[in-house]
Amino acid sequence: MAEFFKTSTLWVVEYLFDGRARCWYRALRGDQDPTVLMTAELAALHGTRAQLRSVRRATDAEESAYRRGETPANHYCPVRTS
């Protein structure tokens, strides 16, 4: 994990699952397009039940929490609605 993380970027994937806002943290290599990758992954996992809203780089605070293992255990979390 450590070697992969050094060469990756942490992304926050915000999406709707059955109409409910969810988010997911993903560490991806720098040469990958996160929007394309996450659109395909959500479709493969959930079909039409999931709809991608946005993919953004994690803030410094979010990345620090992720590295400390302080993200939600199921990798889902409420997202901001504003």
Side-chain angles (χ1 to χ4, degrees):
M1 174 67 182
E3 288 302 313
F4 171 72
F5 198 84
K6 289 179 185 176
T7 62
S8 66
T9 301
L10 185 64
W11 298 90
V12 178
V13 181
E14 296 181 346
Y15 64 100
L16 297 177
F17 180 76
D18 286 341
R20 296 184 191 106
R22 298 284 186 253
C23 74
W24 194 4
Y25 293 89
R26 290 297 306 264
L28 302 172
R29 291 189 323 259
D31 63 342
Q32 296 176 301
D33 182 333
T35 302
V36 170
L37 186 66
M38 294 315 304
T39 298
E41 188 165 344
L42 287 172
L45 290 171
H46 304 298
T48 59
R49 296 176 69 189
Q51 178 185 2
L52 184 66
R53 293 178 68 193
S54 69
V55 180
R56 63 173 176 80
R57 284 181 179 252
T59 64
D60 290 341
E62 289 169 328
E63 188 166 341
S64 293
Y66 179 81
R67 287 182 183 209
R68 289 190 306 267
E70 296 174 357
T71 58
N74 64 2
H75 300 282
Y76 293 109
C77 62
V79 296
R80 294 177 296 281
T81 56
S82 56

